[in-house]
Amino acid sequence: MADFQLFIDGEYVDARSGDTFATYDPGTGTKIGDVAKAGVEDAERAIAAARKAFDEGPWPKMSGKERAGYLRKVAELIGTKAEELATMEARDSGGTIKKAMFADVPGAQGAFEWFAQCAETEPDEVELPGSDFPPSQNLVRYEPHGVCTGIIPWNFPFIMAAWKFGPALAAGNTSVIKPASFTSVTALMLGQIFQEAELPPGVANVIAGPGGTAGEVLASHPMVDKTAFTGSTEVGRRIMQLASGTVKPVTLELGGKSANIVLDDADLDIAAAAVLFGTFFHNGQVCESGTRALVQRGIYDEFVGLLVERAGKLVIGNQLDYATDLGPLVSRGQVETVERYVKLGRDEVGEPVCGGEKPKVADDLDAEAFYQPTIFAGVPNSSKIAQEEIFGPVLCVIPFDTDEEAVAIANDSIYGLGGGVQSRDLERARRVADGMRTGTVWINDYHMINPQRPFGGYKQSGIGRELGVQGFNIYRQVKHIHTNPSTSRDGYVHFSALGDI
Ligand code: NAD
């Protein structure tokens, strides 16, 4: 029996093949346990359970208020297990315990609460203006899609699972989610929470396993009505292809290379903190990280000095220690990707102004899994390190002269996910924010994602929105019902458009 089993049809089960894969704490390299490895057959089993729960079970027929009751219970149970969940999230992903306690667990809890509220307050039916001639009464009815699948990445596994399950279930759908193989455990732990909240079997299923097999089934299976994916732009393109076979609606949350614009009237103390927080939080393994800092030339040298001084103070170490600011990256492979980009940066723009190496860490840690916060200054926006998503602790600082130039540089990217503007002049900051082609802009702030506010990307950063009312409605189909109330042929003169019938 695997230490962490699949959650299908309300029960924990092994993969049909009996296969497992090991999951590790990347900080120490110690094994956490064996995870059941779902194959095609297990993915199909989970989809069949969700299908049955949708077609024959009570979930889609319940009122929004009833479903909200279950989701509030899920949120409450997450709260009671906060420490256990946060510790496992930190061990399995390498994210710090601070991040897990202050962002991951409350973020997931807040998402379930918000979507419970949407289920209660968003109307199921809206009456439209009718017409007198030909007479009609018209209404729009919102209905669940059916079976919704979700495929999620390794950087925020627990929150991402909540962002997929929360709106899908609140809107009356049933669901199957697949977390990334590096970080499957906390999403699988949700199964126990769903059992304790007494969700009907099959409503919410979690399978762990490889994207290329189990994941492809979730995105392509004819019994699935909608699919949502968070991950790299490259795999996002593949998901669109897979979903196109049965014309499934897709929601995609993909990569980014977001610009954080520092105007010359910014409070430099706050702006420097916003740039460092925006880049190095979770080692830059955040899709909307502000990895391009665009800094106005008049303050450029002073500002770069502040960034370097403060980046050097970040504490690197064991992610389970509350004093740690930066833990390991998710894997040695991710460190190798960062090293490749830092080498490229050295070739393209020269020595970084700080970092650029693996740090020295305590003997009980895996030194190959850590990387120093690294800053390249004077980076041309056309360089590869400014254009490609690194997904590690690497910041590119880019100088500019005018506000218009800053907007043009910010928009010169295939991505458009996050972004920031740092300025004391809020009108000026708004003009800059309005010009940015991106899904979220934080003025004098960064990373402030909230379940009540929509989140998603322009351009190759994605399709659709998660969170907010928009993120709820994307999980509902729209049906228009037209009723002709006439009882005499006078109300049907339009039939004569065909002939005398
Ligand atoms: P990834 O694209 O490699 O994998 C994401 C998920 O897709 C995993 O569960 C994986 O198993 C699965 N997968 C891989 N190939 C598949 C296939 N052919 N069919 C179906 N599923 C498949 O991404 P990652 O490395 O886990 O995460 C990092 C990426 O995610 C970065 O690009 C980051 O920007 C992005 N991301 C975006 C957001 C957002 O909201 N926009 C949030 C977090 C992460």
Side-chain angles (χ1 to χ4, degrees):
M1 193 175 97
D3 301 307
F4 304 102
Q5 293 180 294
L6 314 176
F7 185 71
I8 299 177
D9 209 10
E11 303 283 341
Y12 276 111
V13 292
D14 278 329
R16 279 266 158 87
S17 63
D19 288 351
T20 60
F21 61 95
T23 192
Y24 297 90
D25 173 338
T28 57
T30 50
K31 183 170 159 180
I32 297 173
D34 289 314
V35 182
K37 182 177 174 184
V40 168
E41 211 189 335
D42 302 292
E44 287 173 347
R45 191 158 47 128
I47 291 168
R51 187 76 253 168
K52 187 159 183 279
F54 186 81
D55 292 340
E56 298 169 26
W59 192 256
K61 300 178 193 82
M62 282 181 197
S63 68
K65 204 172 163 56
E66 275 176 280
R67 283 195 295 267
Y70 284 94
L71 298 182
R72 289 225 163 80
K73 183 74 187 157
V74 168
E76 188 191 317
L77 287 163
I78 291 173
T80 60
K81 296 172 195 288
E83 212 162 311
E84 183 194 349
L85 288 163
T87 305
M88 184 55 86
E89 187 78 332
R91 283 182 71 200
D92 203 24
S93 69
T96 62
I97 186 75
K98 273 196 296 203
K99 162 185 165 286
M101 278 304 273
F102 298 128
D104 297 313
V105 173
Q109 201 179 1
F112 279 108
E113 277 162 4
W114 164 248
F115 289 114
Q117 188 179 320
C118 289
E120 272 179 348
T121 56
E122 286 300 302
D124 287 341
E125 283 184 12
V126 175
E127 212 160 304
L128 301 177
S131 54
D132 294 336
F133 193 77
S136 71
Q137 296 157 355
N138 300 74
L139 62 86
V140 161
R141 210 176 116 73
Y142 296 101
E143 299 180 347
H145 285 267
V147 175
C148 295
T149 54
I151 300 172
I152 58 177
W154 46 255
N155 60 343
F156 286 88
F158 194 59
I159 285 196
M160 292 292 130
W163 286 18
K164 299 286 182 277
F165 274 133
L169 303 188
N173 303 281
T174 58
S175 184
V176 183
I177 302 285
K178 192 198 83 62
S181 299
F182 284 128
T183 56
S184 302
V185 177
T186 51
L188 290 168
M189 285 166 78
L190 266 177
Q192 196 193 338
I193 291 171
F194 293 148
Q195 281 176 335
E196 289 176 30
E198 297 180 8
L199 246 68
V203 166
N205 308 272
V206 189
I207 59 166
T213 48
E216 297 229 343
V217 175
L218 297 190
S220 61
H221 199 286
M223 276 198 229
V224 172
D225 298 290
K226 170 176 164 48
T227 193
F229 169 79
T230 300
S232 60
T233 296
E234 192 189 345
V235 177
R237 289 190 194 103
R238 174 76 185 139
I239 299 291
M240 278 184 93
Q241 282 174 347
L242 291 167
S244 72
T246 46
V247 197
K248 287 186 218 317
V250 290
T251 309
L252 301 177
E253 299 286 356
L254 308 176
K257 193 78 191 181
S258 302
N260 196 349
I261 300 175
V262 186
L263 300 177
D264 55 7
D265 66 351
D267 176 322
L268 296 194
D269 173 41
I270 296 172
V275 167
L276 293 168
F277 178 59
T279 312
F280 296 123
F281 179 64
H282 196 26
N283 267 318
Q285 301 170 119
V286 187
C287 47
E288 36 74 0
S289 286
T291 46
R292 291 183 296 151
L294 278 43
V295 182
Q296 202 150 12
R297 222 171 286 269
I299 54 165
Y300 184 83
D301 289 338
E302 185 185 353
F303 195 76
V304 172
L306 275 177
L307 292 179
V308 171
E309 180 203 325
R310 296 190 191 177
K313 291 183 185 156
L314 290 168
V315 177
I316 302 173
N318 188 325
Q319 76 270 26
L320 295 174
D321 185 340
Y322 272 96
T324 296
D325 300 321
L326 299 175
L329 274 68
V330 72
S331 64
R332 284 180 170 201
Q334 197 61 22
V335 175
E336 283 163 19
T337 301
V338 171
E339 284 184 303
R340 234 182 11 256
Y341 273 106
V342 170
K343 180 175 179 313
L344 186 67
R346 285 192 162 103
D347 294 343
E348 285 183 312
V349 297
E351 266 310 291
V353 289
C354 74
E357 304 290 338
K358 286 183 213 144
K360 285 202 171 48
V361 289
D363 289 347
D364 59 341
L365 298 178
D366 177 6
E368 299 300 311
F370 292 79
Y371 206 83
Q372 289 177 337
T374 298
I375 302 177
F376 285 99
V379 178
N381 192 55
S382 57
S383 61
K384 281 197 169 157
I385 56 164
Q387 287 293 324
E388 294 180 13
E389 186 183 47
I390 301 173
F391 227 55
V394 182
L395 172 66
C396 295
V397 189
I398 302 171
F400 69 89
D401 289 302
T402 64
D403 295 10
E404 292 70 26
E405 190 192 354
V407 171
I409 296 171
N411 291 341
D412 181 12
S413 167
I414 61 165
Y415 298 114
L417 189 54
V421 185
Q422 314 301 322
S423 169
R424 284 194 177 94
D425 179 344
L426 297 186
E427 275 179 34
R428 182 182 175 199
R430 262 303 301 275
R431 279 195 300 277
V432 171
D434 288 353
M436 294 167 76
R437 298 199 25 84
T438 191
T440 300
V441 182
W442 291 284
I443 294 176
N444 294 332
D445 217 326
Y446 215 87
H447 282 321
M448 286 294 95
I449 292 176
N450 179 296
Q452 304 193 15
R453 306 167 195 153
F455 176 72
Y458 281 37
K459 301 190 268 182
Q460 293 188 38
S461 288
I463 299 177
R465 291 293 176 271
E466 294 194 295
L467 310 182
V469 174
Q470 295 84 351
F472 174 69
N473 280 325
I474 218 164
Y475 280 89
R476 305 206 292 178
Q477 272 288 15
V478 179
K479 179 185 281 176
H480 165 220
I481 299 181
H482 164 115
T483 305
N484 188 327
S486 303
T487 50
S488 78
R489 286 300 294 252
D490 294 351
Y492 295 96
V493 287
H494 48 289
F495 288 175
S496 65
L498 171 65
D500 187 12
I501 50 172

